Amino acid sequence: MKLNKLKRWFFVMVKNTGIICLMILVLTAGCASMSSADKTQRQERGINKLVIHTDKGKDTINKNIYGHFSEHLGRCIYDGLWVGEDSDIPNTRGIRNDVVEALRRIKIPVLRWPGGCFADEYHWKEGIGPRQQRPSMINTHWGMVKETNAFGTHEFLDLCEQLECEAYVAGNVGSGTVEEMQDWVEYMTSDADSEMANLRRFNGRDKPWRVKYFGVGNENWGCGGNMSPEYYADLYNRFQTYVRSYSGNRIVKIACGPGSENYPWMTTVMERSHRRMNAISLHHYVRGTGNWTKKGSATQFDEAEWFALMKNTLTINPLLKNNIEIMDRFDPRKRIGLFVDEWGTWWDTEPGTNPGFLYQQNTIRDAVSTGIFLNAFNNHCDRVKMANIAQTVNVLQAMILTKDEEMVLTPTYHVFEMYKVHHDAVMLPVELQCGDYQLGDEKIPSINVSASKDTSGKIHITLCNLDPTKSAELVCDLQGTRPSSIIGRALTAGAMNAHNTFDNPEAVQPDAFDKFDFEDDILTVTLPPKSVVLLGIK
Ligand code: AHR
């Protein structure tokens, strides 16, 4: 009997009869028919089994989990998104057409702006009115460069309209005033005959914008004012009072949550402010074995560095679980959303670039890390209602890199494109038993997964093989469904550091994938090493 057939038969027997001694017999027979190389590999890796409960989904994966973040930092806004109306680079009212089109292709649902750390030193009134009359400032967080304020509120909200996405504006608590924040919300969203609404009309925008999401500060435990959680929670309660819902714009108020494992911050802010918030943020950046001073190269690394990133990325699961447990204590009905509004990989800046600009390359390693993050958000979608990768263009784990009129889509972009099938679909519970990816004395699970069912009933499974050198065979039991067709796509590469450059922009791209078969109700998939795989099942 061929090995695949034998495994399927074995799985059906286990599933249908549960006769343990038969299992042992079959397993022994199976092992006898394997080549010794197969046998060693299976002994090393174990059998990978996945059960997908296709009829048991109840929570929806909010499409905002696939959100983005753009800060006045380096070349994200200027060059990346904004080139100005007089630029030779094709643009619409100063905003790059190529970047807008690329982001629309991944159905960007929401965009956070203007920071980040920049948000708590941004004074929005400097970024409205005729551009040549706007005062400039120094961007003290990011490279001490001149900020011209050419890109301000009107330009950002025009960008969101061009992208057809929701706007998420982060307000200034660190160095701003309550009045300034109140005025901003009124300026953007009020239809009244009021001072701020009339100022907006005077500046050329008659109708108010829809601004659904408003953040009250950013990282106020650090760059946003170095506050204690008690002090911030009191300030939050005060500032948010004046963040009003005008003219039918129901605003979602977001409190500043912790960075990574700062559980005391989450506990105190939830305890003091949970009645006054709609969401609370969480930030989580990952890297390899490096530290804040030497984070490691984005492209020059060995397998130990690959392993370290995979291991560190998997910390998102306990991190979500622990923060959610704290939230559950104060909000057992899960009214408040957890918004992971900054996440991603953070490497040393590319040699020869301004260290304050956080410009980094992006490889298949970043892509697999992205798949793991997004699977985690999907699997916790009863509480995680938004996530915003940092950042959209030319900064940190960017979707897009630009050089003058050229644009490169990164491997991370391709993962977002593949995963868009999960937007607003119902998350399907999964049970995964898999072998380890071992390096030296350390091991981590080799496979990572999430699944969903869309409104047409189509099931999508996204799988990552974390092991950069070994393929992984996975046997899936699709409980509650009888597929009539299955199609696949995969993102993988030959080298661990494969990436797209301006000279070779299509080195890492998704391809059609057919290394699976379905027989006797069992789906068997062979995941290539270092891959992100999407299966669509009807
Ligand atoms: O994304 C870069 C920076 O990381 C943001 O400005 C800040 O919020 C975080 O520390």
Side-chain angles (χ1 to χ4, degrees), residues 439-451:
L439 191 72
D441 295 339
E442 290 199 280
K443 31 176 144 162
I444 52 176
S446 60
I447 298 174
N448 191 271
V449 63
S450 71

Side-chain angles (χ1 to χ4, degrees), residues 69 71 73 116-117 142 218-219 283 285 342 346 390-391 396:
F69 166 41
E71 179 167 12
L73 193 180
C117 295
W142 306 118
N218 169 77
E219 295 195 355
H283 290 182
Y285 289 100
E342 285 185 34
W346 194 323
Q391 297 191 5
L396 297 178

Side-chain angles (χ1 to χ4, degrees), residues 306-351:
W306 171 288
F307 183 93
L309 177 66
M310 297 301 130
K311 186 176 162 202
N312 293 339
T313 302
L314 288 168
T315 61
I316 187 62
N317 289 298
L319 187 68
L320 291 176
K321 182 172 165 286
N322 296 341
N323 276 296
I324 289 169
E325 270 170 22
I326 298 170
M327 292 179 74
D328 286 349
R329 297 215 306 262
F330 302 98
D331 175 38
R333 295 188 168 183
K334 298 192 188 289
R335 180 187 65 80
I336 299 169
L338 180 59
F339 286 7
V340 189
D341 60 16
E342 285 185 34
W343 65 271
T345 56
W346 194 323
W347 306 116
D348 290 339
T349 50
E350 282 299 298

Side-chain angles (χ1 to χ4, degrees), residues 35 45 49 67 80 91 107 118 166-167 192 203 236 264 267 284 297 335 348 353 364 424 447 452 492 498 516 525 531:
S35 74
R45 301 176 61 90
K49 290 181 214 158
N91 68 83
K107 294 192 189 307
F118 182 79
E166 297 285 358
N203 286 329
Y236 172 82
T267 307
H284 190 53
S297 164
R335 180 187 65 80
D348 290 339
T353 64
I364 185 72
D424 288 336
I447 298 174
S452 69
T492 185
F516 57 84
V525 189
S531 64

Side-chain angles (χ1 to χ4, degrees), residues 203-403:
N203 286 329
R205 171 79 184 198
D206 182 27
K207 280 200 344 212
W209 289 281
R210 173 183 155 89
V211 177
K212 192 161 175 200
Y213 301 100
F214 196 88
V216 181
N218 169 77
E219 295 195 355
N220 301 95
W221 36 263
C223 65
N226 290 304
M227 302 173 193
S228 68
E230 293 81 8
Y231 180 66
Y232 170 74
D234 291 347
L235 274 188
Y236 172 82
N237 291 342
R238 177 170 169 232
F239 273 67
Q240 68 78 37
T241 308
Y242 306 94
V243 175
R244 309 259 189 222
S245 289
Y246 294 100
S247 315
N249 180 66
R250 282 207 66 76
I251 212 149
V252 171
K253 299 178 194 178
I254 303 136
C256 166
S260 299
E261 288 91 8
N262 188 349
Y263 301 122
W265 181 280
M266 178 59 100
T267 307
T268 305
V269 176
M270 280 299 291
E271 187 175 16
R272 292 191 173 212
S273 305
H274 68 274
R275 288 193 187 83
R276 299 189 174 89
M277 66 173 80
N278 305 108
I280 187 163
S281 66
L282 170 68
H283 290 182
H284 190 53
Y285 289 100
V286 289
R287 53 181 175 259
T289 60
N291 53 40
W292 269 109
T293 334
K294 188 96 200 68
K295 299 179 191 76
S297 164
T299 55
Q300 304 305 308
F301 56 85
D302 58 13
E303 193 177 342
E305 283 300 314
W306 171 288
F307 183 93
L309 177 66
M310 297 301 130
K311 186 176 162 202
N312 293 339
T313 302
L314 288 168
T315 61
I316 187 62
N317 289 298
L319 187 68
L320 291 176
K321 182 172 165 286
N322 296 341
N323 276 296
I324 289 169
E325 270 170 22
I326 298 170
M327 292 179 74
D328 286 349
R329 297 215 306 262
F330 302 98
D331 175 38
R333 295 188 168 183
K334 298 192 188 289
R335 180 187 65 80
I336 299 169
L338 180 59
F339 286 7
V340 189
D341 60 16
E342 285 185 34
W343 65 271
T345 56
W346 194 323
W347 306 116
D348 290 339
T349 50
E350 282 299 298
T353 64
N354 185 329
F357 281 14
L358 309 187
Y359 178 78
Q360 66 188 40
Q361 250 296 356
N362 191 304
T363 67
I364 185 72
R365 178 176 63 157
D366 298 86
V368 177
S369 171
T370 307
I372 298 170
F373 264 111
L374 294 173
N375 284 339
F377 300 149
N378 288 347
N379 290 329
H380 291 88
C381 68
D382 59 336
R383 183 65 91 171
V384 178
K385 301 293 178 189
M386 187 190 289
N388 309 72
I389 189 170
Q391 297 191 5
T392 320
V393 197
N394 292 333
V395 170
L396 297 178
Q397 197 181 350
M399 303 297 109
I400 297 169
L401 304 176
T402 66
K403 188 171 78 177

